[in-house]
Amino acid sequence: MSQEGVDLETSLGYLLKEASSALRAAMEEVLRPLGMSVTHYACLELLAQRPGLSNSELARGAFVTRQTMNVLLQALERDGYVTRPAEAAVGKVLPTRLTARGRRSLEKASAAVRSVEARMLASLTETDQSAAFRILQSMVHSLRGDNE
Amino acid sequence: MSQEGVDLETSLGYLLKEASSALRAAMEEVLRPLGMSVTHYACLELLAQRPGLSNSELARGAFVTRQTMNVLLQALERDGYVTRPAEAAVGKVLPTRLTARGRRSLEKASAAVRSVEARMLASLTETDQSAAFRILQSMVHSLRGDNE
DNA sequence: TGACTCATGTCAGTATCCTGACATAGGTTC
DNA sequence: GAACCTATGTCAGGATACTGACATGAGTCA
């Protein structure tokens, strides 16, 4: 057989999914005690670094759909972690911002996630970290068809 | 501020999720016309390479829970893609096998997924592919705590 | 101005996957 | 053998994210 399908043992795609799955599991493990999901955390972290992001921008940044992010934002707003203006100043875009409570909640989560990332990086040399960054970016571009 | 959270622009974890998300989207895109989900495909591909895998083993291989794989297997069995013995020969393990129909269905899907992986690999040199493999494996091990 | 296209926010329904729980089989260890 | 631990298959309920659809605002183009 010359056509033997995608060999899972040597497939970079499979390994990529495996690594991503391990990372997600590790993040869920440390975020669960804080009552926070990965998407929940991603949303707060995005807002901390880029205040005023809209619902759609947050969705793209957290790799979920607008609809998913919308229900999350409604919950976060209800619970006082973020604020959004009742009406859009321009267009329909509602810029979102963290409240003091949101920032406080994020601090613990961010520390927990940092520890996970640190554990991951600890097994890599500086050179490998740079290589990984470059290679992963290349994968993203080719998969999205940016170079066509 | 020395503590400025996880910088998303330079975070390897974020980039890993981005790459994995792009891969999943690309796979979903080519599998959708075939009426197959990624987990669905993963299950068939696993069975093609390692016939006789049990429900739990398939779940681990496809990075989902036993319960999720169980309902998928029930659907696949109902539709004639796989077969499982009614009773376990030993213990409770039910070894699963592809039917001819399952193999046929997998062929098209496997070709489609191969094209996605090829597109991803095309942007990388041989050296980078080897490096990516080694680095991702290292990440998996450290995240799982295998080295402690 | 009007027609067209695109992006956004949001509602509803559905698919997918998960946690919790139970009974049961096999392998220890005493 | 008995007690224990682990792994398995399975059922039920709930959480999460998705697709489909709609109205609306902004930008483009004729």
Side-chain angles (χ1 to χ4, degrees):
Chain A
M1 276 279 195
S2 62
Q3 295 266 83
E4 63 170 41
V6 179
D7 187 349
L8 266 29
E9 294 306 315
T10 61
S11 162
L12 246 191
Y14 187 77
L15 188 54
L16 179 59
K17 184 172 180 180
E18 189 169 6
S20 177
S21 175
L23 175 60
R24 186 176 191 91
M27 287 179 66
E28 279 172 351
E29 191 179 344
V30 299
L31 288 176
R32 181 180 306 275
L34 304 174
M36 204 178 288
S37 76
V38 173
T39 306
H40 185 139
Y41 159 75
C43 177
L44 297 184
E45 187 73 60
L46 281 162
L47 283 174
Q49 293 184 28
R50 301 207 275 276
L53 247 42
S54 72
N55 175 33
S56 289
E57 291 168 325
L58 285 168
R60 279 190 293 268
F63 309 108
V64 296
T65 61
R66 297 174 289 169
Q67 295 88 328
T68 298
M69 184 54 72
N70 192 38
V71 308
L72 175 59
L73 276 184
Q74 284 172 358
L76 289 178
E77 191 173 16
R78 169 173 50 80
D79 297 343
Y81 293 103
V82 305
T83 51
R84 284 194 292 182
E87 294 183 5
V90 53
K92 301 184 68 177
V93 176
L94 300 176
T96 312
R97 294 186 173 277
L98 286 180
T99 62
R101 180 175 187 182
R103 258 183 297 274
R104 222 173 316 130
S105 170
L106 173 60
E107 272 179 28
K108 303 169 198 159
S110 194
V113 170
R114 253 199 310 275
S115 74
V116 170
E117 180 140 0
R119 194 169 78 212
M120 187 176 80
L121 293 177
S123 66
L124 271 47
T125 65
E126 287 269 344
T127 315
D128 279 352
Q129 291 182 25
S130 308
F133 207 87
R134 179 177 51 79
I135 291 170
L136 285 173
Q137 276 187 329
S138 178
M139 287 185 187
V140 171
H141 287 147
S142 57
L143 285 170
R144 292 202 181 136
D146 291 355
N147 44 2
E148 308 196 59
Chain B
M1 272 280 194
S2 62
Q3 295 266 82
E4 64 169 40
V6 178
D7 186 351
L8 266 29
E9 294 306 315
T10 61
S11 162
L12 247 191
Y14 187 79
L15 189 55
L16 179 58
K17 185 173 179 180
E18 190 169 5
S20 177
S21 175
L23 175 61
R24 188 179 190 87
M27 286 179 67
E28 279 171 351
E29 190 179 344
V30 298
L31 288 176
R32 181 180 306 276
L34 304 174
M36 205 179 289
S37 75
V38 174
T39 307
H40 185 139
Y41 159 75
C43 177
L44 296 184
E45 188 73 61
L46 281 162
L47 283 174
Q49 293 184 29
R50 301 207 276 277
L53 247 44
S54 71
N55 175 33
S56 289
E57 290 168 324
L58 286 168
R60 279 191 292 269
F63 309 108
V64 296
T65 61
R66 291 174 291 161
Q67 294 89 329
T68 297
M69 184 54 72
N70 191 39
V71 308
L72 175 59
L73 277 183
Q74 284 172 358
L76 290 178
E77 192 173 14
R78 168 174 50 79
D79 297 342
Y81 294 103
V82 306
T83 51
R84 284 194 292 182
E87 294 184 5
V90 54
K92 302 183 68 178
V93 177
L94 299 177
T96 311
R97 293 185 174 275
L98 286 181
T99 63
R101 179 176 188 179
R103 256 184 298 274
R104 222 172 317 130
S105 169
L106 173 60
E107 272 178 29
K108 304 169 197 161
S110 193
V113 171
R114 251 199 311 274
S115 74
V116 170
E117 179 138 0
R119 194 169 78 213
M120 186 176 81
L121 292 177
S123 66
L124 303 176
T125 64
E126 287 269 342
T127 315
D128 279 351
Q129 292 182 23
S130 306
F133 207 87
R134 178 177 51 80
I135 291 170
L136 285 173
Q137 277 187 327
S138 178
M139 287 184 186
V140 171
H141 287 147
S142 57
L143 285 170
R144 292 203 180 133
D146 292 354
N147 46 1
E148 308 194 60

